[in-house]
């Protein structure tokens, strides 16, 4: 038999009962001549007050983004095109090097993206020690900056989530962070691996749910991809593309449900929507880590990836749209649906005007083709995808942290105003499409800092269709 669930504690229940009785007795004393009795009043008032308590308990608690920081790669780590082409010719066969050069020409990357030191060696040295060194550099750098920026102490953190797709050592990356910062023994830690480029918003969704259960808490999220073990040294072309796109990067953020921190927070979380197409073989197999015939491990990107990504985005938008679009756009969508259903099945579906729901867009900077496809399918303008294009140009594909580099770009440009909404979109293997909607609490007017500080005045730049190498 299903047991009845009390959404409030026994102590709260007794306090509620005591208050109702006290109010009843007081009412009786004020009106001694009336025929009023306590018992009928209790029977009437207690359910009403109890339902109010249920509503207050069940109502989602606001989740605030206190602040975030981005990893800024040292200048000595950058990999200009000339350096990449020279190293590729020394490490790979001429045909393989030429193929990578052609991919790089149309990649949308600039001259400032960075590789870790292990990849700069000839031949590269993707050792376990080098991967751990890269992880410590990226993760500790963004956390140090975040604690200094917010004034939060490590022992105040209640939840810790670290997501990294490929590199998952033992002890875990979360244990590495806890040991470095001497966090309290009660901290709840989660290490997410193999979740692809959309892992950051999965981490956010996890912490959001935890904050609904634990009041007055802080959650620390660290999102990165360690490039050292991801380097592919084989000859399979679908697996060589990742060498040309993925670069060093990372982000850290602190989210909280403390009402006292709202005034100094930057954003309030409005929605997180996660959709997964893993039940479809075509979607499941479009991005896979594989081992080739020579024993080299890498990531194979299927030709079906753009189509799968579009379908995943459509599924995600179908769930998110009704909660964020104005009624005018909903009516236009319904009209289009009815026309296709009953009048002309060939009528193209109506694509809502998303600029009526969001002022800013932070699309996952997975590659030029990804940004182009989303710009077309969502009917966005070049200004809408500017942050994502400049993120790809300056930092490359930093995997799950890329939407935060795009948001950092918008902040550095002074475009985030109070009350405006920003939509973060992330696509990842599996195949997954995750999105988050933030509302700006206060105008971000401080000077540009962090990863964009020394270069924001140069942007936006014109990214040519192909670079002459």
């Amino acid at each position: 038999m299903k047991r009845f669930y009390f959404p409030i504690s026994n102590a709260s229940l007794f306090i509620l009962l005591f208050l109702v009785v006290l109010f009843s007795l007081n009412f009786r004393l004020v009106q001694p001549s009336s025929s009023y009795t306590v018992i009928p009043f209790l029977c009437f008032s207690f359910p009403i007050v109890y339902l109010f308590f249920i509503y207050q308990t069940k109502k989602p608690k606001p989740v605030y983004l206190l602040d975030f920081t981005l990893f800024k790669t040292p200048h000595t780590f950058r990999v200009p095109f000339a350096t990449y082409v020279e190293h590729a010719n020394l490490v790979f066969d001429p045909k393989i090097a030429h193929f990578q050069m052609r991919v790089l020409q149309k990649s949308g990357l600039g001259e400032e993206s960075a590789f870790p030191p292990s990849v700069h060696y000839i031949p590269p040295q993707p050792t376990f020690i080098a991967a751990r060194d890269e992880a410590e550099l990226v993760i500790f750098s963004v956390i140090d900056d975040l604690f200094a920026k917010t004034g939060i102490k490590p022992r105040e953190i209640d939840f810790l989530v670290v997501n990294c797709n490929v590199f998952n050592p033992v002890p875990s990356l979360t244990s590495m962070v806890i040991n470095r910062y001497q966090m309290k023994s009660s901290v709840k830690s989660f290490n997410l691996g193999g979740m692809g480029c959309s892992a950051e918003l999965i981490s956010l969704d996890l912490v959001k749910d935890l904050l609904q259960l634990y009041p007055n808490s802080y959650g620390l999220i660290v999102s990165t991809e360690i490039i050292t073990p991801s380097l592919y040294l084989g000859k399979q072309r679908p697996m060589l593309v990742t060498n040309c796109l993925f670069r060093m990067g990372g982000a850290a953020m602190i989210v909280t449900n403390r009402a006292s921190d709202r005034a100094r927070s930057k954003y309030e979380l409005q929605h997180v929507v996660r959709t997964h197409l893993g039940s479809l073989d075509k979607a499941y197999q479009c991005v896979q880590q594989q081992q080739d015939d020579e024993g080299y491990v890498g990531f194979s990107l299927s030709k079906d990836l753009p189509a799968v990504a579009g379908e995943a985005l459509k599924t995600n938008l179908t769930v998110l749209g009704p909660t964020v679009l104005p009624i005018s756009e909903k009516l236009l969508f319904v009209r289009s649906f009815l026309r296709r259903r009953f009048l002309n099945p060939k009528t193209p579906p109506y694509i809502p005007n998303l600029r009526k729901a969001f002022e800013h867009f932070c699309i996952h900077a997975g590659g030029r083709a990804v940004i182009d496809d989303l710009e077309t399918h969502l009917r966005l303008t070049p200004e809408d995808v500017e942050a994502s294009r400049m993120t790809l140009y300056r930092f490359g594909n930093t995997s799950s942290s890329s939407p935060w580099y795009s948001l950092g770009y918008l902040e550095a440009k002074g475009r985030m105003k109070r009350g405006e909404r920003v939509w973060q979109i992330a696509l990842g293997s599996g195949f997954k499409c995750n999105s988050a909607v933030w509302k700006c609490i206060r105008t971000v007017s401080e000077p540009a800092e962090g990863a964009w500080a020394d270069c924001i005045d140069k942007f936006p730049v014109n990214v040519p269709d192909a670079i002459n190498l």
Side-chain angles (χ1 to χ4, degrees), residues 305-380:
L305 179 56
V308 170
E311 185 64 28
L313 177 65
K314 183 171 68 174
T315 304
N316 190 276
L317 188 57
T318 301
V319 179
L320 178 64
T323 65
V324 297
L325 289 171
I327 187 65
S328 60
E329 290 299 307
K330 294 178 183 178
L331 292 175
L332 290 173
F333 177 82
V334 171
R335 186 184 69 174
S336 173
F337 173 79
L338 294 176
R339 180 179 296 175
R340 296 179 66 222
R341 182 67 181 270
F342 299 107
L343 298 178
N344 185 6
K346 296 183 179 180
T347 301
Y350 176 72
I351 300 176
N353 184 357
L354 295 172
R355 288 186 296 280
K356 292 186 177 181
F358 313 108
E359 285 75 29
H360 306 285
F361 301 84
C362 293
I363 298 172
H364 167 54
R368 165 175 267 162
V370 173
I371 300 174
D372 289 346
D373 287 345
L374 294 187
E375 179 184 1
T376 301
H377 286 106
L378 298 178
R379 295 197 309 175
L380 301 179

Side-chain angles (χ1 to χ4, degrees), residues 152-169:
I152 301 297
K153 296 179 175 56
R155 295 190 67 83
E156 294 182 79
I157 298 299
D158 300 288
F159 315 117
L160 170 64
V161 182
V162 178
N163 63 263
C164 181
N165 193 35
V166 178
F167 184 59
N168 291 285

Side-chain angles (χ1 to χ4, degrees), residues 1 68 71 80 109 163 256 266 300 361 384 386 398 435 469:
M1 181 180 293
F68 68 97
F71 178 70
L109 273 69
N163 63 263
T256 182
K266 286 185 173 180
S300 178
F361 301 84
D384 293 330
E386 177 187 317
T398 60
S435 63
L469 297 179

Side-chain angles (χ1 to χ4, degrees), residues 9-22 46 53:
S9 66
N10 291 334
S12 301
L13 198 60
F14 282 117
I15 293 173
L16 174 61
L17 182 61
F18 173 77
L19 292 175
V20 172
V21 172
L22 185 64
F46 184 79
F53 266 69

